[in-house]
């Protein structure tokens, strides 16, 4: 079945450093979504990308969808302690539920 | 949160007992989901439902059962057949499955501990 791989599993950064997490699918995706889960909380939707090569920005967060619609990335510029949490990508190939990656847990050292 | 409620937040049960986790949504969503989350394992799909009185197995359905008698409700029963039931359980809903606009909204989760 469809698989969504996400790397790295963990990332520790100093506050102010940049952070990137990558998501790769074994099949072409119709869309990709990103979610953030704060420690002790539940996943919260951040954004959805649909078009090949699409780039979207939310303040310090930049999301990209690959040209082949098989990979995506989330980049955070100048991390802050409020960015701490686990970031999940999720994608779908057809008329099936989203498949979630295992997530990247981000720790920010002040 | 997001119009989805799960109760209780923490649940303790003895080994061998069945336990039912509740999930209610007031978002008028057709689709509902149950996920299990273990440390380092991400979100694993247990069951999902696209419409009332219909549900499908996810990746790890063994030892679990669900029902969808009402649009708003999608309870999950963790049976004694589930080998390792201690986990964090998340319920979610979306307008539908298979469209580009089916963002999932998650409940706050239930942390189940089986003693």
């Amino acid at each position: 079945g469809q698989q969504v791989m996400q790397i790295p599993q963990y990332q520790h950064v100093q506050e102010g450093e940049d952070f990137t997490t990558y998501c790769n699918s074994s099949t072409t995706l119709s869309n990709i979504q990103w979610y953030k889960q704060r420690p002790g909380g539940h996943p919260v939707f951040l954004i959805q990308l649909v078009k090949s090569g699409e780039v979207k920005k939310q303040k310090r967060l930049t999301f990209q969808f690959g040209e082949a619609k098989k990979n995506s990335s989330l980049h955070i510029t100048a991390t802050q302690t409020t960015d701490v949490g686990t970031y999940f990508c999720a994608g779908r190939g057809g008329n099936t539920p989203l498949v979630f990656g295992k997530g990247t847990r981000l720790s920010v050292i002040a | 949160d997001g119009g989805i409620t799960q109760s209780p937040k923490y649940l303790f049960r003895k080994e061998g007992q069945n336990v039912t986790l509740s999930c209610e949504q007031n978002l008028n969503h057709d689709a509902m989901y149950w996920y299990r989350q273990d440390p380092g394992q991400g979100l694993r799909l247990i069951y999902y439902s696209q419409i009332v009185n219909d549900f499908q197995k996810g990746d790890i359905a063994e030892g679990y059962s669900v029902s969808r008698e009402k649009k708003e409700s999608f309870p999950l029963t963790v049976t004694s057949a589930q080998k390792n039931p201690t986990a964090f359980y998340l319920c979610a809903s979306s307008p539908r499955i298979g469209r580009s606009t089916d963002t999932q909204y998650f409940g706050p989760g239930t942390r189940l501990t089986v003693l």
Side-chain angles (χ1 to χ4, degrees):
Chain A
Q2 182 181 347
Q3 290 187 331
V4 175
M5 311 300 291
Q6 197 172 347
I7 57 170
Q9 189 174 0
Y10 303 97
Q11 185 80 58
H12 306 278
V13 300
Q14 291 280 345
E15 189 173 21
E17 291 182 340
D18 292 356
F19 159 78
T20 304
T21 174
Y22 301 90
C23 187
N24 292 285
S25 169
S26 56
T27 59
T28 301
L29 301 171
S30 58
N31 66 327
I32 193 142
Q33 298 181 8
W34 285 91
Y35 293 77
K36 177 183 179 181
Q37 183 176 22
R38 294 182 184 275
H42 59 276
V44 174
F45 173 78
L46 292 177
I47 207 162
Q48 175 171 263
L49 305 172
V50 179
K51 300 176 183 177
S52 170
E54 189 170 13
V55 177
K56 287 188 176 181
K57 293 189 176 184
Q58 288 180 349
K59 297 182 180 178
R60 294 178 295 102
L61 278 60
T62 301
F63 304 84
Q64 292 188 323
F65 200 10
E67 293 290 341
K69 301 183 76 173
K70 285 188 173 182
N71 58 76
S72 181
S73 66
L74 158 59
H75 179 82
I76 302 178
T77 303
T79 55
Q80 301 175 359
T81 54
T82 54
D83 295 325
V84 165
T86 301
Y87 293 85
F88 293 97
C89 63
R92 178 188 312 100
N95 192 28
T96 56
L98 287 171
V99 175
F100 282 81
K102 290 190 175 183
T104 296
R105 183 184 297 179
L106 173 64
S107 299
V108 179
I109 305 165
Chain B
D1 274 89
I4 298 182
T5 58
Q6 290 185 245
S7 61
K9 190 172 178 69
Y10 299 96
L11 190 55
F12 297 88
R13 280 293 182 270
K14 291 183 178 180
E15 192 172 346
Q17 290 181 334
N18 290 357
V19 59
T20 297
L21 312 183
S22 75
C23 177
E24 303 278 333
Q25 55 101 357
N26 62 3
L27 300 169
N28 199 33
H29 286 170
D30 286 331
M32 296 188 74
Y33 315 80
W34 274 105
Y35 294 92
R36 171 179 172 142
Q37 187 172 36
D38 297 282
Q41 292 294 319
L43 303 171
R44 293 188 289 171
L45 183 64
I46 305 173
Y47 269 98
Y48 65 97
S49 169
Q50 299 192 63
I51 197 169
V52 174
N53 293 322
D54 181 66
F55 47 83
Q56 306 293 330
K57 291 182 179 180
D59 300 319
I60 56 165
E62 186 175 350
Y64 300 97
S65 65
V66 293
S67 63
R68 186 88 187 273
E69 297 177 1
K70 299 186 299 181
K71 188 174 185 177
E72 303 80 18
S73 179
F74 191 40
L76 173 74
T77 297
V78 184
T79 75
S80 56
Q82 169 52 231
K83 296 284 188 267
N84 184 20
T86 295
F88 187 46
Y89 290 88
L90 287 158
C91 178
S93 72
S94 69
R96 62 192 61 84
I97 292 174
R99 298 291 188 102
S100 62
T101 57
D102 63 344
T103 300
Q104 291 195 14
Y105 297 82
F106 286 82
T110 292
R111 197 167 296 276
L112 173 64
T113 302
V114 176
L115 306 171

